[in-house]
């Protein structure tokens, strides 16, 4: 699988299970997104040979065998609720409403595609309905920062926070160095843009192009966080989910916080210099291009 030129052909979506005419607009948006991504990948890939191992390509993809669904997880784009839905589809829970955050993320209930043998991987890639849900890159980034650094966190503060404060904060006090709490957005961005990062990347701010490889894996359905509910509910129709299963509306954690919106993002971006802002956009340029987002 090394050095292949893709993308494969764009297959038409199977819409035989969709009931009623209310999905017309969602469907037309979906077709535009699919052909946009396909055309982009054709142009982009003709210049670039991607050297990636198949098992690595599919390491973020969750499998739901009953309804033949593959879902590539993009953190901060509705992924917790998507995993709840997959658990219900899989018969592991009756309702998405009462599955806890810990059960979703640490419960090991769902299988990932890289846990199958090569034949199992290929068969599923070729026959299942593959979906990805994305979000405006800057909103996703700010959302990840707020979630991991502005709330107590027993992993991100000691692992990332300490390293970030130590490297990017001059005259940091001992308390900050000891706990790793109180990372500022500007310090976080310095870490993100540093080619010699003191700690590695993390899936919450990794580019979607490197989490899900949308130009190598031919996603059948491209959902967006900005239209999350209608996209998700249309997708559930496409795969023949039970009629009573609807995508959950609730915010998974820190539910009293204001959602990260374009306005919230603007406030955070004010903390950066013009160069830092531009470099952050550049860091996510592929995500902007692939999914037709415009920078703020």
């Amino acid at each position: 699988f090394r050095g292949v030129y893709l993308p494969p052909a764009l297959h038409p979506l199977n819409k035989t299970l969709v009931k009623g005419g209310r999905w017309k607009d969602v469907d037309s948006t979906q077709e535009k997104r699919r052909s946009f991504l396909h055309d982009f990948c054709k142009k982009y890939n003709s210049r670039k040979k991607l050297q990636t191992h198949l098992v690595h390509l599919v390491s973020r993809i969750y499998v739901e065998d009953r309804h033949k669904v593959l879902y590539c997880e993009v953190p901060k784009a509705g992924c917790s609720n998507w995993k709840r839905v997959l658990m219900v589809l899989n018969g592991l829970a009756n309702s998405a409403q009462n599955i806890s955050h810990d059960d979703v993320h640490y419960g090991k209930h769902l299988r990932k595609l890289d846990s199958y043998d090569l034949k199992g991987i290929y068969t599923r890639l070729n026959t299942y309905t593959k979906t990805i849900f994305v979000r405006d890159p800057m909103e996703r980034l700010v959302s990840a920062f707020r979630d991991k650094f502005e709330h107590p966190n027993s992993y991100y503060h000691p692992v990332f926070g300490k390293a970030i404060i130590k490297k990017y904060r001059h005259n940091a006090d001992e308390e900050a160095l000891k706990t790793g709490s109180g990372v500022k957005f500007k310090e976080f961005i310095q870490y993100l843009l540093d080619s010699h990062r003191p700690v590695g990347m993390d899936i919450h701010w990794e580019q979607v192009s490197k989490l899900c490889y949308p130009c190598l894996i031919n996603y059948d359905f491209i959902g967006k966080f900005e239209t999350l509910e209608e996209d998700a509910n249309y997708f559930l129709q496409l795969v023949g989910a039970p009629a009573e299963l609807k995508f959950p509306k609730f915010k998974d954690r820190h539910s009293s916080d204001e959602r990260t919106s374009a306005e919230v993002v603007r406030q955070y971006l004010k903390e950066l210099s013009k160069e830092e802002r531009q470099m952050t956009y550049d860091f996510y340029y592929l995500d902007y291009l692939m999914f037709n987002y415009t920078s703020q």
Side-chain angles (χ1 to χ4, degrees):
F1 203 74
R2 286 186 170 278
V4 289
Y5 283 112
L6 287 154
L10 189 63
H11 299 298
L13 261 178
N14 177 359
K15 296 169 190 171
T16 49
L17 297 169
V18 176
K19 304 201 173 42
R22 59 172 283 218
W23 302 105
K24 224 171 90 185
D25 291 348
V26 189
D27 178 61
S28 122
T29 303
Q30 189 50 231
E31 291 302 343
K32 284 188 192 116
R33 285 179 196 161
R34 278 158 46 87
S35 57
F36 184 90
L37 178 62
H38 188 258
D39 293 346
F40 168 79
C41 291
K42 244 186 355 210
K43 285 200 286 261
Y44 171 72
N45 266 7
S46 60
R47 300 193 305 273
K48 202 167 171 350
K49 222 175 182 190
L50 276 151
Q51 299 279 329
T52 315
H53 195 280
L54 176 66
V55 175
H56 177 68
L57 280 188
V58 301
S59 63
R60 305 258 31 108
I61 296 181
Y62 284 88
V63 178
E64 198 283 287
D65 280 318
R66 281 184 173 186
H67 297 79
K68 302 197 166 176
V69 170
L70 296 180
Y71 162 72
C72 188
E73 174 188 30
V74 175
K76 310 312 298 174
C79 76
S80 300
N81 279 338
W82 258 117
K83 288 188 201 167
R84 289 184 171 91
V85 165
L86 293 177
M87 286 169 72
V88 175
L89 286 175
N90 226 331
L92 297 165
N94 294 325
S95 149
Q97 304 303 321
N98 44 20
I99 306 171
S100 74
H101 178 86
D102 284 358
D103 230 13
V104 166
H105 290 286
Y106 311 112
K108 304 276 183 276
H109 301 293
L110 298 166
R111 271 187 85 172
K112 283 192 180 153
L113 193 49
D114 61 356
S115 69
Y116 295 84
D117 62 12
L118 279 178
K119 182 170 180 280
I121 294 175
Y122 270 116
T123 306
R124 286 170 178 79
L125 277 177
N126 289 326
T127 57
Y128 283 21
T129 308
K130 300 177 287 298
T131 183
I132 180 175
F133 271 69
V134 297
R135 184 177 188 176
D136 172 276
M138 236 19 120
E139 277 188 26
R140 187 176 155 244
L141 178 68
V142 170
S143 174
F145 172 77
R146 294 174 74 200
D147 181 23
K148 303 305 175 198
F149 296 102
E150 292 186 349
H151 293 274
N153 192 300
S154 60
Y155 172 72
Y156 285 90
H157 293 201
V159 174
F160 287 86
K162 274 164 129 169
I164 289 172
I165 289 169
K166 187 176 175 194
K167 181 159 185 183
Y168 308 105
R169 186 178 297 177
H170 306 300
N171 312 321
D173 61 50
E174 266 185 44
E175 182 64 14
L177 289 166
K178 198 170 85 199
T179 62
S181 297
V183 169
K184 295 182 173 66
F185 186 62
K186 191 179 175 76
E187 295 166 337
F188 173 64
I189 295 301
Q190 286 175 300
Y191 143 80
L192 185 80
L193 301 174
D194 187 348
S195 55
H196 303 287
R197 290 184 198 104
V199 266
M201 272 305 275
D202 180 86
I203 61 167
H204 291 84
W205 45 85
E206 179 68 277
Q207 300 104 318
V208 177
S209 53
K210 289 189 180 164
L211 288 171
C212 296
Y213 298 95
C215 280
L216 287 179
I217 292 168
N218 205 4
Y219 289 96
D220 302 293
F221 191 95
I222 299 145
K224 289 196 169 181
F225 187 79
E226 294 74 13
T227 47
L228 177 61
E229 272 175 62
E230 55 183 19
D231 288 350
N233 287 324
Y234 179 49
F235 180 78
L236 290 172
Q237 285 263 311
L238 283 170
V239 297
E244 66 279 6
L245 179 60
K246 298 284 180 278
F247 193 79
K249 287 185 164 122
F250 58 82
K251 191 172 186 287
D252 192 49
R253 297 209 297 170
H254 316 310
S255 49
S256 58
D257 286 10
E258 184 189 351
R259 270 201 191 274
T260 302
S261 61
E263 188 41 53
V264 169
V265 169
R266 271 192 284 278
Q267 298 308 316
Y268 279 83
L269 291 181
K270 282 179 186 166
E271 297 175 32
L272 307 180
S273 68
K274 204 171 162 205
E275 290 73 26
E276 285 168 329
R277 276 203 297 273
Q278 188 55 53
M279 284 164 74
T280 309
Y281 284 123
D282 293 347
F283 185 80
Y284 291 104
Y285 83 106
L286 264 185
D287 290 0
Y288 275 103
L289 289 173
M290 281 178 171
F291 302 109
N292 203 10
Y293 281 111
T294 48
S295 57
Q296 295 183 23

